[in-house]
Amino acid sequence: MASTTQQGKAPPSQAELLYQAQLRKERLFRTHVGVSWGVLFLILIFLFSGQEIRLGSFQYQTIQLDSEFILKNLSFIAQGLGQTLLISVLSILVAMTLALLAALGRLSTFPPIYAISTFYVSLIRGTPLYLQIFFFFLALPQLGINLSGVVAGVTALGLNYGAYMSETFRAGLSSVGKGQREAAMALGMTPGQTMKRIVLPQALRFAIPPMGNDFISMTKDSALVSATGFVHELMWRAVKVGRAQFNNLEALIMAAMFYWVLTLILTYFQGKLEARLARGDR
Amino acid sequence: MSLPIVKISNLDKYFGRLHVLKNISLEVPERQVVCLIGRSGSGKSTLLRCVNFLEDPSHGSIEVDGVHVEAEAKGKERRQLIHDVRLKTGMVFQEFNLFPHMSVLENVIEGPVTVKGMDRNHAIELAEQSLDSVGMLWKKDEYPLRLSGGQKQRIAIARALTMEPRVMLFDEPTSALDPELIGEVLNVMKKVAYEGMTMIVVTHEMGFAREVADRVIVMSEGELIEDATPDELFAQPKDQRTKALIDRYRTGER
């Protein structure tokens, strides 16, 4: 920088210089990570480009994808996005409700309620999600209960995630200090009012970021619902066209890309939400 | 002397096998300011917290402004009586315990609106008066996170006062504060005292006890060992343990 422009201005302080240097270092790191991601992505594309590499006597043929198949079936697979999102949203709503009830049940001093809550969590966490989906779709009809693929899938995913997410709510509830309850009780609030007005709002706020993560996981676990064969979401569509034309490689890669992009988008919003909550004034 | 507004009779409290309050009886007349002093672990906070049943007494009874609750009371009746006692008592905690998800004003109207079912606008009017009296009206739309400890405690006092209690309970209200913030809270407490509020104050602030209290009670190992006016107590402590306690405060220890 020309020294003339500095004239008349106080030279930057030592602290300012150190701070600027630190910012530059952080920016540089982020830039390098970004560039590396780009390179990794290009390598990935190259590996599936069908090009031939020749280095002296070394010869390598990269993977050739059937681009005609991809173009032809892109929209068919893409149409599964709606179902994938629908199942995920419905399931997360069921899961949140169950998780909240289970977490509150865990606080109960009434033994049967406490028992129901812990029994539910134990049973669901002790069995595979894949089994649970089949159970609701294939085992219940034997008892005369016929659920559609979507209903069976949402029930299983909701029950399953509800059991896991109850731990998140429990952590949220225990993050609210004893002093908060005491202050509410000292004002004369009933236990119900204390829970509703004082404890829950603070606990939910604590639980929102991990719940976002659970939702992102759920969009991917919703692929398991395709096993019923009656829910036409991303995975089901990829498997269907892939098997029919023996293009499983292309079909699964396409579905994978849809899931990945969906996850990236949701993760972005999740980050925004978390930053907003971290501000702390509301 | 007026009638007792708080009457503690033969109170015992156990924490597990630990006997923390030993057959305590105490009467506080209306408009009196009582300071409870003693070393930590002497049971003074526990005694205070028994008055509004934040701690359940193991045996004995509490009476506040005519509401009599036996420690052994059970069920619905007990819940109703405790609720009545809590409506007659305001409490201020060492850690302030403001509700962080509510603005200052929302903190103060929460009790009147949720507990008393008061009309929101009326509650706001009362809340603004209370906040003004503790000098915190200018921060009514702020969130607690952005306030100093002294400001939080003054708001906590306003929150308790807005419920129009008959008795105020203070549990070491200045112990969590930086030294330079203690004065503003003590000044507010003085003001409340001079307006005629009955107060029971657990404190380590001997200056406040000396200046504002009508009566100082010393606790040790779950018992009341001395009960006198501040002048008597500080000039001529009768009990050896009181003397030792006062000496510790003089030398700045706790």
Side-chain angles (χ1 to χ4, degrees):
Chain A
M1 201 181 281
S3 63
T4 49
T5 62
Q6 288 285 324
Q7 273 175 9
K9 260 197 224 165
S13 69
Q14 176 89 9
E16 179 63 23
L17 287 172
L18 284 171
Y19 178 62
Q20 292 296 340
Q22 193 196 333
L23 281 187
R24 270 199 302 279
K25 211 169 142 188
E26 283 167 11
R27 267 200 304 271
L28 202 64
F29 180 80
R30 279 198 302 273
T31 313
H32 285 178
V33 171
V35 169
S36 307
W37 260 68
V39 171
L40 286 171
F41 191 66
L42 288 176
I43 291 173
L44 190 65
I45 289 182
F46 177 72
L47 281 178
F48 289 92
S49 66
Q51 302 288 321
E52 208 180 79
I53 315 171
R54 214 185 277 272
L55 282 170
S57 62
F58 177 78
Q59 194 180 334
Y60 180 71
Q61 170 80 46
T62 59
I63 299 157
Q64 176 80 54
L65 292 180
D66 183 345
S67 56
E68 196 190 326
F69 171 87
I70 292 177
L71 287 175
K72 220 178 82 195
N73 291 294
L74 189 64
S75 80
F76 179 75
I77 293 179
Q79 278 165 32
L81 261 176
Q83 285 278 304
T84 292
L85 280 172
L86 176 74
I87 291 167
S88 304
V89 170
L90 290 178
S91 305
I92 202 87
L93 292 177
V94 173
M96 276 162 54
T97 313
L98 290 173
L100 183 60
L101 291 176
L104 290 175
R106 250 335 247 284
L107 294 176
S108 175
T109 49
F110 185 53
I113 298 284
Y114 183 92
I116 288 171
S117 157
T118 47
F119 191 81
Y120 157 62
V121 173
S122 170
L123 177 67
I124 295 293
R125 288 178 45 154
T127 49
L129 172 57
Y130 199 55
L131 185 150
Q132 291 160 12
I133 290 171
F134 274 119
F135 184 85
F136 284 101
F137 190 69
L138 295 179
L140 287 188
Q142 215 172 310
L143 307 173
I145 303 166
N146 291 295
L147 302 179
S148 75
V150 173
V151 173
V154 167
T155 308
L157 276 172
L159 274 171
N160 186 276
Y161 269 69
Y164 283 94
M165 284 165 68
S166 71
E167 291 298 314
T168 308
F169 278 105
R170 212 154 72 91
L173 289 170
S174 56
S175 78
V176 181
K178 188 167 158 248
Q180 290 288 310
R181 286 169 230 255
E182 289 186 348
M185 290 196 300
L187 283 173
M189 287 196 202
T190 63
Q193 288 169 335
T194 303
M195 182 54 70
K196 185 168 152 243
R197 304 277 313 161
I198 307 301
V199 179
L200 271 187
Q202 296 182 58
L204 287 181
R205 191 186 141 136
F206 181 94
I208 282 174
M211 266 159 40
N213 287 330
D214 287 331
F215 180 66
I216 293 170
S217 302
M218 180 164 300
T219 57
K220 287 162 291 169
D221 280 350
S222 71
L224 291 170
V225 176
S226 69
T228 63
F230 284 90
V231 186
H232 301 173
E233 42 69 74
L234 282 173
M235 185 69 186
W236 181 87
R237 285 168 183 264
V239 170
K240 182 180 159 78
V241 293
R243 273 200 186 138
Q245 301 166 42
F246 202 65
N247 279 112
N248 286 310
L249 182 63
E250 287 83 357
L252 290 178
I253 287 174
M254 283 157 75
M257 288 300 128
F258 277 115
Y259 281 115
W260 194 12
V261 170
L262 188 61
T263 304
L264 285 175
I265 294 171
L266 291 173
T267 307
Y268 171 79
F269 284 114
Q270 155 82 352
K272 287 252 164 199
L273 184 69
E274 219 162 305
R276 216 187 132 101
L277 288 173
R279 275 207 324 240
D281 49 358
R282 257 247 94 148
Chain B
M1 200 143 108
S2 46
L3 287 166
I5 191 162
V6 176
K7 193 170 161 187
I8 298 168
S9 312
N10 305 104
L11 203 75
D12 278 290
K13 171 71 183 171
Y14 293 86
F15 281 129
R17 293 195 180 88
L18 205 64
H19 199 179
V20 288
L21 295 178
K22 297 169 186 163
N23 193 28
I24 288 186
S25 295
L26 171 65
E27 292 187 4
V28 179
E30 211 174 341
R31 302 171 88 85
Q32 193 172 64
V33 176
V34 180
C35 280
L36 272 178
I37 66 173
R39 300 173 64 166
S40 44
S42 59
K44 56 195 192 307
S45 278
T46 306
L47 178 60
L48 188 80
R49 290 161 56 84
C50 279
V51 174
N52 68 349
F53 288 85
L54 287 185
E55 299 291 353
D56 286 321
S58 310
H59 180 73
S61 70
I62 302 279
E63 189 175 312
V64 180
D65 193 26
V67 180
H68 181 88
V69 196
E70 292 283 341
E72 285 82 2
K74 289 268 177 289
K76 210 170 175 177
E77 189 199 357
R78 175 193 178 84
R79 280 198 294 277
Q80 185 57 51
L81 289 172
I82 290 177
H83 182 75
D84 292 346
V85 165
R86 285 177 179 163
L87 283 182
K88 290 175 182 293
T89 51
M91 186 149 198
V92 175
F93 299 86
Q94 182 176 340
E95 299 293 341
F96 331 125
N97 297 339
L98 292 182
F99 306 130
H101 58 302
M102 298 180 181
S103 73
V104 166
L105 188 69
E106 286 165 344
N107 261 279
V108 181
I109 65 169
E110 182 61 28
V113 171
T114 302
V115 178
K116 289 186 171 174
M118 191 183 284
D119 169 64
R120 197 181 155 87
N121 288 327
H122 185 206
I124 290 175
E125 243 173 74
L126 286 184
E128 288 184 343
Q129 281 168 21
S130 307
L131 283 170
D132 197 27
S133 76
V134 301
M136 289 304 299
L137 185 57
W138 61 299
K139 290 281 190 191
K140 71 182 169 98
D141 296 319
E142 202 60 87
Y143 281 81
L145 203 72
R146 297 170 178 264
L147 303 170
S148 74
Q151 292 174 328
K152 284 186 209 174
Q153 196 60 299
R154 282 149 66 194
I155 292 160
I157 294 171
R159 177 174 70 179
L161 288 175
T162 310
M163 289 297 279
E164 301 178 320
R166 301 298 310 278
V167 181
M168 283 285 284
L169 310 172
F170 292 85
D171 190 3
E172 300 201 26
T174 57
S175 297
L177 296 175
D178 291 335
E180 71 271 20
L181 302 176
I182 291 176
E184 60 184 84
V185 172
L186 291 180
N187 281 336
V188 166
M189 288 168 62
K190 257 182 234 175
K191 196 172 151 189
V192 176
Y194 294 148
E195 283 165 4
M197 179 62 75
T198 309
M199 293 168 49
I200 305 178
V201 186
V202 170
T203 188
H204 293 289
E205 292 296 326
M206 293 306 113
F208 178 83
R210 201 185 279 262
E211 188 184 347
V212 186
D214 300 302
R215 181 177 172 194
V216 180
I217 295 174
V218 186
M219 284 190 72
S220 179
E221 290 169 15
E223 291 176 285
L224 310 184
I225 57 170
E226 196 151 352
D227 182 347
T229 67
D231 290 343
E232 290 167 1
L233 190 103
F234 289 107
Q236 296 170 322
K238 291 197 194 80
D239 194 294
Q240 207 50 41
R241 290 166 292 181
T242 309
K243 205 161 172 287
L245 184 74
I246 293 169
D247 286 342
R248 281 161 67 90
Y249 283 121
R250 285 221 178 89
T251 55
E253 281 179 73
R254 271 184 188 171

